[in-house]
Amino acid sequence: MSRWASVPAVLCVALVGACATTAGDETAPRTGTTRAAETRPAETATTPAPEELVLDPTDPAAYADLVVSETNALRVAAGLGALATDPCAAEVATDRAAVIVGGPELEHAPLDDVIASCEPPSGVAAENLSRAAASPAQVVEAWEGSPGHRANLLDPTLTRVGVGCVLDGTGDAEQMLCSQVFLG
């Protein structure tokens, strides 16, 4: 039985521990290889009652835009600058989300490809993942309640973001699966 079996699938925003990777330092050549990658055990968040969960909007691009807006509202409320949207991060986020559609659990892939493709100035990338039948505001709220995800959302060294979402209709209910890729 899956470890998620007891968690409501509706908004177990499948909070896979936030993943962060830094490329290049004295011990690693600056080729996109990672110095360290941190993946925390899966975490869950307090979820609204199922009747409060509504997948809206159902358009993946509109949903992704709202995730960015909600993330930036959270950052501004915390006294941080808004993240700039990054087309490269959005493209790799969409690809990363598409690859895990239908999987039983959300799992982070190494971020080396993100660093190599998008070349963040400081060589830092991080990712939050979600799968939910919920609004973008509820997803960001669930991330905010998870220490690893919150750390990514409010990390002042991360300055750009791209969100890619795809519909995942492989379960009992249609859900939106999103990858939020940060660059710093």
Side-chain angles (χ1 to χ4, degrees), residues 161-178:
V161 69
V163 176
C165 299
V166 294
L167 283 172
D168 187 349
T170 59
D172 293 339
E174 190 170 66
Q175 299 178 18
M176 193 67 73
L177 193 154
C178 297

Side-chain angles (χ1 to χ4, degrees), residues 9-33:
V10 207
L11 180 68
C12 92
V13 243
L15 291 181
V16 173
C19 183
T21 300
T22 304
D25 68 6
E26 310 77 53
T27 61
R30 211 165 181 69
T31 60
T33 56

Side-chain angles (χ1 to χ4, degrees), residues 7-181:
V7 178
V10 207
L11 180 68
C12 92
V13 243
L15 291 181
V16 173
C19 183
T21 300
T22 304
D25 68 6
E26 310 77 53
T27 61
R30 211 165 181 69
T31 60
T33 56
T34 60
R35 174 175 50 97
E38 179 182 0
T39 302
R40 295 177 185 90
E43 303 167 1
T44 59
T46 303
T47 60
E51 63 275 3
E52 296 175 27
L53 297 174
V54 177
L55 180 56
D56 183 40
T58 57
D59 173 60
Y63 195 98
D65 288 344
L66 289 170
V67 169
V68 171
S69 295
E70 292 291 335
T71 297
N72 279 333
L74 176 67
R75 287 177 63 91
V76 168
L80 299 170
L83 298 164
T85 54
D86 186 280
C88 181
E91 183 178 333
V92 297
T94 302
D95 292 345
R96 291 169 76 84
V99 167
I100 53 180
V101 166
E105 294 184 28
L106 298 182
E107 293 185 28
H108 291 284
L111 293 166
D112 296 340
D113 64 327
V114 173
I115 293 169
S117 297
C118 299
E119 300 177 347
S122 64
V124 177
E127 177 181 54
N128 288 342
L129 295 172
S130 72
R131 176 187 291 139
S135 71
Q138 290 168 318
V139 168
V140 173
E141 182 180 328
W143 281 335
E144 184 183 10
S146 161
H149 297 91
R150 181 178 172 82
N152 284 345
L153 293 167
L154 300 177
D155 185 337
T157 65
L158 300 172
T159 58
R160 297 183 286 165
V161 69
V163 176
C165 299
V166 294
L167 283 172
D168 187 349
T170 59
D172 293 339
E174 190 170 66
Q175 299 178 18
M176 193 67 73
L177 193 154
C178 297
S179 168
Q180 181 180 48
V181 172

